Amino acid sequence: MYARLLRNLGANARCFATEASPKVRPISKILISNRGEIACRVIRTARKLGVRTVAVFSDPDEESLHTQLADEAYRVGEAPSSASYLRGERILDIAKRSGAQAIHPGYGFLSESVEFAELCQREGIIFMGPPSSAIRDMGIKSTSKAIMAAAGVPIINGYHGEDQSDECLQREADIIGFPLMIKAVRGGGGKGMRIAEKRDDFLTALNSARTESEKSFGDSSVLLERYVRSPRHVEVQVFADQYGDAVYLWERDCSVQRRHQKIIEEAPAPGLSEDLRRELGEAAVRAAKAVGYVGAGTVEFILDKEDLSFHFMEMNTRLQVEHPITEMITGTDLVEWQIRIAAGEPLPLTQSEITRRGHAFEARIYAENPRGGFLPGAGPLRYLSTPQPSDNVRVETGVREGDEVSVHYDPMIAKLVVWGENRTQALNSLVARLGEYHISGLDTNIKFLIDLASHPEFQLANVHTGFIDEQFDTLFPPIVISPQQVSQAALALVFNELQAAFRNGNKDQDPFVATPNARLNYSLVRRYQLKANEKVYSVAVKFDGEDIQIQVDNGDWQVVKAERVQDESRLKIRANINSNITTYNASIDGTGVCLFLETGKVDFELAQPKFLSAQADQLGAAGSRVVAPMPGILEKVLVKPGDQVKKGENLAVLIAMKMEHILKAPRDATIKSIGGAEGDNVAKGAAVITFVDESVAE
């Protein structure tokens, strides 16, 4: 067969086409109209196949990893995605100038843009995705549901009409009943999605969903659906070629979510019979064929966790973020499939040839604060150490140590992907590898992912979309800082100080001169004020010969044994504290120390002198101002100085990572000042609104 003969040419083939078929077109150079980890992912497979790559970058991405890995890179615009990665005509011009025959859109940005797919077709550039008609049909949720119903794919009831007036939507919402889901008719990823728990919430939720949808997809239209509480989210990976054939590559479970966005995925979905897996796959193939689909797509279903009935939710007409877990259980390279199918080849495998083996998990590592409502973050990756990649462990990322997580784009840092012979083995590997993922400089969700993957109910696969809310108390127990952790932090500071002395040429003062693993043998005392979980700990460390003694909060002196484990670039310590021997990494900067323990990261601040802390408390007195909970852009200011506001009233709108966050009044107050103008960048913790101090006499 032609496809098999062509595959046998191997990785040295620079073009994947011949003139044997009128639909075959050679591809020797691809432009990737995206950034970050997906751009790096496409580049790796293209390089394996001998295909050259062209990257595009915004101003803050000029030195990013994807521009370094690509064969060529071109500036596409300024930082905002609307001025860079969403500039379709500019990207197409770069493709033509660079000689690229095809454009890979990745996911997000232009990947599901009907207009961009049509533009590529008019200009004779291969769009590595489905036909624009399929994107249009599946991208507009109301249209897609009608097509699915006609194709015999189960759908959930709701309002999918064209009348978008407030009056019509309110009327339809009353018919459907509450709670209900408001969804943007285009796009996905949780953007433009809100839940109205009761009638009084509806218009506020509707306006918020419209605003976010307009910013993310350029369309404020929404649909309404009955909200099914705590279903499972199961999706099927499909592929179709230009010859009318389509296959499914099994399913993934993406039920555990926050802010309606996936956080951890697994394949195959646990607890399904083989008959149900086949039914899901066949329904997904019918969905793809109903719209004349070509390329990679994912059909998403709501699965009732009790009776396992399923209903069509939407189809993502692109490669999904979580595609690596499908690759891990099927032994395929889905980006390679995309390249070959875009070049006009038939599907590489028939349905009967697609097998699955073992179990895989993907954990999305984000710059965010899980205990702060999963608010996204931004900032520098001052320290970054990842698990060692292998055949069973993948680290999909687009950043390096020292890079910046930008406020302008999605806050995902990486995807950790693991495989095991079964679910238990894969889950154990996931927990262990997460414990080896070390980041400092900004908040991440790694500790939360460890707790989630270790949770007894998750271990039993009792998953659903309401899992985090249901298990909130056990996933977020009170933070307890142990004396051992305080001692570990103090040891890290001392070892770091002595190592710095050695690097500065003071070898006589360095404890590591004799051998790489020499124990401390230097007489000194160090005192530190360390703050964690709003408590300040006083720590003293002294040395007497080979003994190290540590005192916490004027308690008894504890004798410990400690040594620095040889590592050229990392601070790694082996310590015996109270007969408990542990080896841990640490990262230290001018503000504090981060411990990387088996259970996750523990942060300690170097406490300020008391007079400075008192000054800071006065500046940030409770209720005197509203601060930005994350870095972002001040989109709207809804009040002005002198306005009197009530508790809960909307004051301003902050946009961070394309998500809309409304700042509300914490109490009845009078506005004193506004901390910026609309369009300004706002740092985390910056005062956006300041209130008049009611305690000061007029």
Side-chain angles (χ1 to χ4, degrees):
M1 185 178 176
Y2 163 74
R4 291 195 178 91
L5 289 173
L6 191 54
R7 288 202 304 276
N8 290 336
L9 293 177
N12 291 326
R14 295 195 63 83
C15 297
F16 306 105
T18 71
E19 298 303 321
S21 167
K23 291 189 176 182
V24 170
R25 294 179 60 184
I27 296 178
S28 59
K29 183 183 283 190
I30 295 170
L31 182 145
I32 304 157
S33 59
N34 216 297
R35 64 181 299 277
E37 64 87 14
I38 185 57
C40 296
R41 167 74 186 87
V42 175
I43 289 168
R44 285 196 300 272
T45 288
R47 180 175 295 164
K48 178 184 72 173
L49 299 174
V51 174
R52 291 181 62 81
T53 53
V54 179
V56 294
F57 61 87
S58 64
D59 289 341
D61 281 344
E62 183 173 1
E63 300 298 326
S64 63
L65 184 59
H66 78 280
T67 68
Q68 307 299 309
L69 294 179
D71 296 296
E72 305 170 42
Y74 295 81
R75 179 183 182 272
V76 73
E78 298 175 352
S81 55
S82 59
S84 52
Y85 297 106
L86 291 175
R87 294 179 63 186
E89 292 186 359
R90 170 70 171 155
I91 289 171
L92 197 61
D93 177 65
I94 293 172
K96 290 189 288 186
R97 287 194 288 117
S98 65
Q101 297 97 0
I103 294 178
H104 194 301
Y107 48 73
F109 295 132
L110 295 171
S111 63
E112 294 178 286
S113 168
V114 174
E115 296 76 16
F116 185 64
E118 291 175 340
L119 184 61
C120 289
Q121 184 177 6
R122 287 198 303 270
E123 296 296 329
I125 299 291
I126 298 171
F127 177 76
M128 296 182 65
S132 59
S133 58
I135 300 175
R136 180 183 296 107
D137 289 344
M138 285 303 197
I140 302 176
K141 292 180 175 63
S142 54
T143 303
S144 68
K145 290 181 183 296
I147 295 173
M148 293 304 98
V153 179
I155 65 169
I156 194 166
N157 293 327
Y159 175 73
H160 314 134
E162 294 183 4
D163 188 341
Q164 292 287 305
S165 66
D166 288 359
E167 295 77 15
C168 176
L169 293 175
Q170 181 71 73
R171 184 170 60 252
E172 294 295 333
D174 292 338
I175 294 172
I176 296 167
F178 295 89
L180 63 77
M181 178 74 79
I182 305 169
K183 289 183 181 179
V185 299
R186 295 180 183 268
K191 296 179 176 66
M193 183 182 295
R194 296 291 185 274
I195 298 170
E197 292 285 351
K198 56 186 184 297
R199 193 178 194 277
D200 290 346
D201 299 337
F202 179 71
L203 288 178
T204 299
L206 173 63
N207 290 329
S208 182
R210 282 171 166 167
T211 300
E212 195 168 274
S213 177
E214 178 68 36
K215 291 210 162 288
S216 298
F217 315 117
D219 188 340
S220 63
S221 300
V222 299
L223 59 82
L224 310 178
E225 288 182 344
R226 178 175 61 89
Y227 178 53
V228 180
R229 289 193 183 277
S230 303
R232 288 177 63 179
H233 179 133
V234 175
E235 62 186 31
V236 178
Q237 177 71 62
V238 295
F239 250 94
D241 61 22
Q242 299 178 33
Y243 304 92
D245 294 322
V247 295
Y248 62 88
L249 290 91
W250 307 105
E251 78 289 338
R252 303 182 286 252
D253 193 301
C254 309
S255 297
V256 180
Q257 304 177 12
R258 87 282 183 266
R259 300 200 318 263
H260 308 298
Q261 291 181 308
K262 304 163 190 173
I263 189 171
I264 192 166
E265 303 99 345
E266 60 182 298
L272 305 190
S273 67
E274 291 304 311
D275 285 345
L276 181 53
R277 296 187 201 279
R278 186 174 61 254
E279 288 178 32
L280 284 162
E282 291 173 352
V285 167
R286 289 199 303 275
K289 288 186 173 182
V291 292
Y293 203 83
V294 175
T298 298
V299 183
E300 300 188 346
F301 296 98
I302 289 175
L303 183 75
D304 190 294
K305 66 177 182 177
E306 302 300 334
D307 64 14
L308 299 183
S309 61
F310 63 89
H311 297 86
F312 173 82
M313 183 165 57
E314 64 184 7
M315 183 175 188
N316 290 307
T317 54
R318 52 173 167 79
L319 195 66
Q320 288 281 80
V321 176
E322 59 271 21
H323 75 273
I325 55 176
T326 295
E327 295 178 323
M328 296 292 263
I329 67 168
T330 59
T332 56
D333 182 333
L334 299 187
V335 174
E336 180 178 346
W337 280 38
Q338 285 187 296
I339 295 173
R340 294 187 179 280
I341 288 173
E345 294 187 30
L347 285 166
L349 298 173
T350 64
Q351 190 64 64
S352 62
E353 292 173 321
I354 299 172
T355 59
R356 73 175 194 272
R357 176 173 172 264
H359 204 95
F361 281 93
E362 174 182 283
R364 302 190 190 189
I365 296 173
Y366 281 98
E368 66 181 14
N369 180 3
R371 286 182 177 267
F374 295 97
L375 290 178
L381 295 161
R382 294 196 182 101
Y383 180 99
L384 174 61
S385 179
T386 71
Q388 184 65 36
S390 67
D391 289 343
N392 298 335
V393 178
R394 288 167 58 173
V395 177
E396 301 281 346
T397 188
V399 296
R400 301 148 298 186
E401 185 174 85
D403 286 350
E404 185 107 1
V405 176
S406 171
V407 68
H408 296 284
Y409 312 115
D410 188 89
M412 188 168 70
I413 296 169
K415 303 180 306 193
L416 176 62
V417 185
V418 301
W419 180 91
E421 292 285 351
N422 52 55
R423 188 177 189 271
T424 299
Q425 186 184 103
L427 194 50
N428 289 340
S429 176
L430 178 66
V431 174
R433 302 294 83 76
L434 282 168
E436 297 170 1
Y437 217 119
H438 303 158
I439 297 173
S440 71
L442 41 65
D443 291 332
T444 76
N445 65 339
I446 294 175
K447 175 68 167 68
F448 171 76
L449 289 170
I450 293 173
D451 294 341
L452 172 61
S454 304
H455 195 282
E457 291 300 312
F458 188 85
Q459 297 263 336
L460 293 171
N462 293 330
V463 294
H464 52 83
T465 58
F467 184 88
I468 293 176
D469 289 339
E470 180 182 87
Q471 304 295 337
F472 188 88
D473 290 342
T474 51
L475 286 171
F476 295 101
I479 297 174
V480 177
I481 302 297
S482 69
Q484 175 166 314
Q485 291 171 343
V486 178
S487 297
Q488 288 172 317
L491 284 172
L493 287 166
V494 169
F495 273 90
N496 184 68
E497 181 180 339
L498 295 173
Q499 184 180 8
F502 175 65
R503 287 175 176 167
N504 291 332
N506 301 324
K507 294 186 178 181
D508 293 339
Q509 298 182 16
D510 190 84
F512 315 120
V513 172
T515 64
N517 291 329
R519 287 180 173 80
L520 288 163
N521 188 16
Y522 178 65
S523 180
L524 56 85
V525 177
R526 289 290 183 267
R527 299 185 185 277
Y528 303 101
Q529 295 284 307
L530 297 174
K531 183 178 180 181
N533 195 30
E534 302 304 317
K535 181 179 178 181
V536 176
Y537 300 87
S538 297
V539 191
V541 183
K542 68 179 180 180
F543 304 90
D544 183 11
E546 290 194 358
D547 288 336
I548 308 170
Q549 296 186 52
I550 298 180
Q551 181 190 58
V552 178
D553 288 339
N554 298 316
D556 294 336
W557 287 92
Q558 300 288 328
V559 177
V560 304
K561 298 289 185 181
E563 61 186 10
R564 178 174 179 266
V565 179
Q566 180 65 18
D567 189 316
E568 292 183 0
S569 60
R570 305 299 183 190
L571 181 57
K572 190 172 186 178
I573 298 169
R574 177 180 170 86
N576 184 341
I577 304 173
N578 293 327
S579 300
N580 184 5
I581 301 175
T582 57
T583 301
Y584 61 96
N585 287 69
S587 168
I588 296 173
D589 59 25
T591 62
V593 54
C594 296
L595 301 181
F596 299 107
L597 308 177
E598 183 179 354
T599 54
K601 183 175 75 169
V602 180
D603 287 309
F604 288 88
E605 296 178 43
L606 289 171
Q608 295 178 331
K610 288 184 177 180
F611 73 91
L612 289 179
S613 297
Q615 186 181 54
D617 288 343
Q618 287 179 353
L619 291 173
S624 67
R625 58 184 183 169
V626 175
V627 302
M630 83 292 288
I633 297 170
L634 190 56
E635 176 71 9
K636 291 180 183 177
V637 178
L638 306 175
V639 293
K640 63 183 183 298
D643 284 355
Q644 293 185 336
V645 296
K646 297 291 186 182
K647 180 179 179 179
E649 188 172 333
N650 295 344
L651 305 178
V653 178
L654 194 67
I655 299 292
M657 286 75 176
K658 297 184 286 187
M659 301 290 286
E660 181 182 84
H661 302 273
I662 299 175
L663 304 182
K664 296 178 179 290
R667 61 177 175 84
D668 294 355
T670 302
I671 305 298
K672 178 180 180 181
S673 62
I674 311 296
E678 292 183 354
D680 284 355
N681 287 315
V682 180
K684 178 181 178 180
V688 178
I689 305 291
T690 301
F691 300 131
V692 172
D693 187 351
E694 307 278 345
S695 65
V696 178
E698 294 291 339

